[in-house]
Amino acid sequence: LVTIPNVLANTAFSPEDGVMGDSVHAEGDTESCEIDFDFRRTQVLFGADTDRIIGERETPELTSEEACEADSRLLERLEIKDRCEFVAGDWARIEQEMRAQGRDHSFSLILSSETIYDVDSYAKLHDLLSCALAKPDSQPGSGYVPMALVAAKSIYFGLSGSVLSFQQYVERRGVFDISSIWQSGGSMSREILRLTWSGSC
């Protein structure tokens, strides 16, 4: 995975009996739930002692080691640890490491969220996706088409990126076919983009 997708975080971190203070609101016919992911990570690590432990720190942020441990526990909760991986860091470095380890084209599904708000990052993201995404013929007879799903706001106010500019970038590169497969309503429009190898669908 390129980023920790909110859909997985929401699934694992939402308590069975409610949202425990997270903001839930509806805009017209579109419902949304905003979960404080960093707070949920601390809950996974520290449980009932979260407020005390975080309160004793100079800054409330988790260390990178703690964040990795929280991510690992998240995967265990979802019972998919052997089938997926969270990836964080500089995308060019991650791509380089994957190629050096012979792990290119090893992911049949890539989920990415809030990664296209800066046009200067498009090349790195695109190159990592083209390195990591499995080729269509890597699963012969399965009928499954490897894809990357990118969740994003349609427009990032005050920033350079948008769904439209990312779609145009991907189309110019010619490596992937890209389409919007879901769009929310309301004043803060969000979309999910699907990227597949060019000509595979």
Side-chain angles (χ1 to χ4, degrees):
L1 302 178
V2 176
T3 63
I4 298 176
N6 289 338
V7 66
L8 291 180
N10 289 355
T11 300
F13 288 151
S14 294
E16 294 177 7
D17 59 347
V19 294
M20 291 174 43
D22 292 316
S23 171
V24 179
H25 61 280
E27 293 181 15
D29 60 349
T30 303
E31 294 183 16
S32 64
C33 177
E34 296 293 332
I35 288 190
D36 184 341
F37 185 71
D38 292 329
F39 179 69
R40 293 295 190 216
R41 273 180 161 167
T42 62
Q43 285 186 317
V44 165
L45 288 178
F46 308 126
D49 292 329
T50 295
D51 290 338
R52 180 185 58 78
I53 291 171
I54 295 301
E56 293 172 354
R57 295 185 175 193
E58 191 171 313
T59 60
E61 290 83 18
L62 295 177
T63 66
S64 59
E65 293 81 13
E66 289 171 331
C68 286
E69 175 63 23
D71 295 346
S72 179
R73 292 185 190 181
L74 168 62
L75 289 175
E76 289 172 8
R77 280 187 179 192
L78 295 173
E79 299 178 0
I80 54 174
K81 190 169 186 177
D82 296 333
R83 296 185 292 140
C84 74
E85 177 180 345
F86 288 142
V87 178
D90 179 73
W91 296 330
R93 181 186 53 77
I94 294 168
E95 178 195 355
Q96 184 178 25
E97 289 174 358
M98 288 184 70
R99 291 191 189 281
Q101 297 165 1
R103 298 181 62 221
D104 45 327
H105 307 302
S106 57
F107 293 91
S108 58
L109 175 64
I110 297 173
L111 304 177
S112 178
S113 176
E114 304 301 336
T115 51
I116 63 169
Y117 53 84
D118 181 5
V119 295
D120 291 337
S121 68
Y122 288 177
K124 284 184 180 182
L125 177 60
H126 185 281
D127 291 348
L128 178 56
L129 293 175
S130 64
C131 167
L133 189 63
K135 293 287 190 174
D137 58 0
S138 63
Q139 300 167 331
S142 70
Y144 179 78
V145 176
M147 69 182 67
L149 299 176
V150 178
K153 294 181 182 78
S154 299
I155 299 172
Y156 289 91
F157 295 102
L159 298 169
S160 58
S162 69
V163 164
L164 179 60
S165 65
F166 184 68
Q167 284 178 303
Q168 291 171 339
Y169 178 84
V170 170
E171 289 166 356
R172 277 195 308 272
R173 293 283 299 263
V175 175
F176 296 113
D177 293 327
I178 184 169
S179 60
S180 177
I181 60 170
W182 179 85
Q183 186 171 9
S184 72
S187 59
M188 182 71 72
S189 178
R190 297 174 186 268
E191 297 184 51
I192 296 177
L193 301 172
R194 178 177 62 197
L195 287 80
T196 56
W197 291 106
S198 184
S200 64
C201 285

